[in-house]
Amino acid sequence: MAAIGKQGFLYSNDKAGEYPDSYYHATANAIPKFPRQSGEETADVCVIGAGYTGLSSALHLAKAGFSVILLDAHRVGWGASGRNGGQVATDQRCDQSTLESQYGKDHARELWDIGLAANQLCKKLIKQHKIDCDLTPGIIHADHRERNLKHSQAYATKLQNEYDYDAIEYLDQAEIRRLVGSESYFGGTLDKEAAHLHPLNFALGLAKAAHEAGAIIYEESPVLEYSGDKPVTVTLENGTIKATHVLLACNGYLDKLNRKVASRVMPINNYMVSTAPLPEALALELLRENHAVADSRFVVNYFRLSADRRLLFGGGENYSFQFPADIKNFVRGHMLEVYPQLAQTPIDYGWGGTLAITVSRMPYFAKLSENVLSASGYSGHGVAMATFAGKIMADMIGGKLAQFDTMADLRTYPFPGGEVMRLPLLVLAMTYYSLRDKL
């Protein structure tokens, strides 16, 4: 494998080993800092990346009796897992109609069942390990174009009738404007089984649970490369780990650690702000029943209320290594398009994060060699799916292949243009679709 250097998205915008200055970090639960790795060690499994995928895999492997070493270049939950919109979906990134047309009804049903199981796993882990992360029910999908309403209504009916899913309901214009105090939306759906949470506290809770289960966790321990098989040798700055299995759980921060995965999983940056705490009446005006919202734009606006009544709003993205110089103003315009009544509301925090997308917008699961597995590319749909991906890879090592095979059978293609042109081509494509949002 090619060596990874201190460059790219992993080091472009943040101080090494420090969480970003986000609302999530400011309200994070206390957890001891884990040490740096050094010296020569052995393990049954070495997991690279301590976001949801890596934390979940380490937890499930340790509980199953495997010796596990989990590594992160910065801190546990430092990447997208500690910076995202906190939405715990019940489905896949692509809707069931799309999946049926691409893979047939049987495979699409398996994918639906995995999406539901991912949602339930998050709730189970939160309850089982007493993770304090403000879990709250309900996500609204909000249509920003009136022409989308027929599809939303038909899709809610499809899930109710063909997938026996009664937790979803169609929202007409009057109802969505009652629930979401904005004239930007014409209707949509409400998924009552979906949920939202404090994403960094969820990640920290998983880390605590994995550690207590026996996983060894190292922070500020970047991997330079891995090589060989039976065992696989993982090389770090000050040590090596020989492991029977290696799991890549790097998502948007993989860089050149594996070129096959990097060709199919593209990092992009997305941004969030937190307002100052809102008066109760204003908070009720914005989100009447405290649901989270994700809208129908190609570059999605997503937002929810925090436990202390701030609006947490995500909007806007870019495709270079660097975050905007003024993230608060970069996102403010998107927020005011939805909620012009917040024009005079102070913004206390603004932060960015790097997620990873695929061409298909479905995750990329791969068996890269006999003893190396990878899961990534959640395309903005990762709280539940990434957590479940960790369990799927742990189950694969334990001999349960079915769900890994279901995900690995998805068709995920390399981005066109190779290493040199794939980012410019992505920028052109994303710019085109973002312009469509405005038309």
Side-chain angles (χ1 to χ4, degrees):
M1 296 297 108
I4 182 170
K6 288 197 171 182
Q7 56 187 340
F9 288 90
L10 190 58
Y11 293 98
S12 294
N13 299 286
D14 301 279
K15 294 180 180 179
E18 294 186 17
Y19 291 104
D21 183 22
S22 69
Y23 167 77
Y24 296 137
H25 180 231
T27 55
N29 297 329
I31 184 172
K33 188 172 183 178
F34 295 101
R36 298 182 182 185
Q37 194 280 336
S38 64
E40 296 186 3
E41 298 184 79
T42 61
D44 294 328
V45 188
C46 180
V47 183
I48 304 173
Y52 296 140
T53 304
L55 291 164
S56 176
S57 62
L59 171 60
H60 286 96
L61 286 163
K63 289 171 70 174
F66 292 91
S67 61
V68 185
I69 294 176
L70 174 61
L71 305 169
D72 199 271
H74 291 285
R75 305 289 304 279
V76 294
W78 173 91
S81 296
R83 310 184 191 209
N84 64 77
Q87 298 195 10
V88 187
T90 58
D91 54 4
Q92 298 286 350
R93 176 64 172 80
C94 295
D95 67 31
Q96 290 305 117
S97 299
T98 300
L99 295 174
E100 288 175 3
S101 68
Q102 292 178 345
Y103 299 105
K105 289 196 172 183
D106 289 344
H107 196 170
R109 181 67 197 223
E110 292 173 354
L111 293 168
W112 170 260
D113 290 342
I114 285 173
L116 272 180
N119 173 279
Q120 295 303 310
L121 176 65
C122 291
K123 295 174 182 176
K124 176 185 174 182
L125 292 172
I126 290 166
K127 182 177 181 180
Q128 181 178 4
H129 297 288
K130 298 179 175 60
I131 301 174
D132 181 10
C133 59
D134 306 325
L135 182 68
T136 306
I139 296 178
I140 292 171
H141 175 81
D143 289 322
H144 79 293
R145 292 286 181 260
E146 195 167 8
R147 61 177 178 263
N148 296 343
L149 297 185
K150 285 185 179 180
H151 170 77
S152 291
Q153 188 168 20
Y155 190 59
T157 301
K158 177 183 179 68
L159 293 183
Q160 293 163 356
N161 294 341
E162 298 179 26
Y163 287 84
D164 303 314
Y165 189 63
D166 296 328
I168 194 165
E169 65 181 59
Y170 172 70
L171 304 175
D172 61 18
Q173 179 173 300
E175 184 62 4
I176 201 167
R177 292 187 178 178
R178 184 185 76 84
L179 294 173
V180 183
S182 172
E183 295 184 1
S184 296
Y185 302 118
F186 296 89
T189 57
L190 168 61
D191 187 338
K192 296 178 181 177
E193 193 65 27
H196 55 100
L197 49 68
H198 188 302
L200 179 55
N201 280 337
F202 179 49
L204 295 176
L206 292 177
K208 183 173 183 288
H211 176 67
E212 290 175 348
I216 297 172
I217 301 175
Y218 292 118
E219 297 181 313
E220 296 186 75
S221 301
V223 171
L224 303 179
E225 63 180 359
Y226 69 91
S227 59
D229 209 355
K230 297 182 181 179
V232 184
T233 299
V234 178
T235 303
L236 297 92
E237 291 181 331
N238 298 304
T240 59
I241 297 164
K242 293 186 182 298
T244 306
H245 302 274
V246 166
L247 303 185
L248 301 184
C250 306
N251 206 37
Y253 298 100
L254 181 76
D255 200 21
K256 297 180 176 63
L257 198 57
N258 184 284
R259 292 183 183 276
K260 179 180 179 181
V261 177
S263 72
R264 290 164 171 79
V265 178
M266 175 78 80
I268 64 172
N269 297 323
N270 199 263
Y271 305 98
M272 291 191 69
V273 296
S274 166
T275 68
L278 303 174
E280 184 175 3
L282 180 55
L284 282 171
E285 177 187 333
L286 302 184
L287 291 166
R288 174 70 53 182
E289 296 182 9
N290 200 19
H291 302 310
V293 179
D295 70 20
S296 59
R297 290 174 171 84
F298 183 80
V299 180
V300 178
N301 289 325
Y302 52 95
F303 46 96
R304 64 189 185 91
L305 292 173
S306 67
D308 57 352
R309 289 203 310 268
R310 300 168 183 266
L311 184 70
L312 307 179
F313 191 99
E317 58 192 30
N318 70 2
Y319 318 106
S320 68
F321 287 132
Q322 296 298 323
F323 292 170
D326 187 347
I327 292 175
K328 292 179 182 179
N329 279 328
F330 183 81
V331 180
R332 182 191 292 272
H334 299 280
M335 183 183 76
L336 295 183
E337 285 182 7
V338 177
Y339 288 126
Q341 60 266 54
L342 296 179
Q344 302 305 315
T345 299
I347 292 178
D348 284 353
Y349 300 93
W351 67 96
T354 300
L355 63 147
I357 62 173
T358 63
V359 171
S360 68
R361 297 301 187 269
M362 292 294 286
Y364 178 51
F365 283 62
K367 185 177 181 180
L368 300 170
S369 69
E370 185 63 27
N371 290 358
V372 179
L373 304 177
S374 176
S376 57
Y378 306 108
S379 301
H381 212 66
V383 178
M385 194 63 240
T387 304
F388 200 64
K391 181 180 184 299
I392 289 175
M393 290 201 291
D395 287 346
M396 177 79 168
I397 290 174
K400 299 176 183 178
L401 313 182
Q403 289 179 326
F404 187 92
D405 289 345
T406 295
M407 298 304 296
D409 285 344
L410 297 174
R411 294 184 290 273
T412 304
Y413 307 102
F415 281 87
E419 287 192 25
V420 175
M421 289 301 297
R422 68 189 187 120
L423 184 57
L425 290 174
L426 174 71
V427 172
L428 284 174
M430 301 292 267
T431 301
Y432 166 74
Y433 283 110
S434 63
L435 286 172
R436 284 183 57 182
D437 284 342
K438 304 180 189 308
L439 298 178

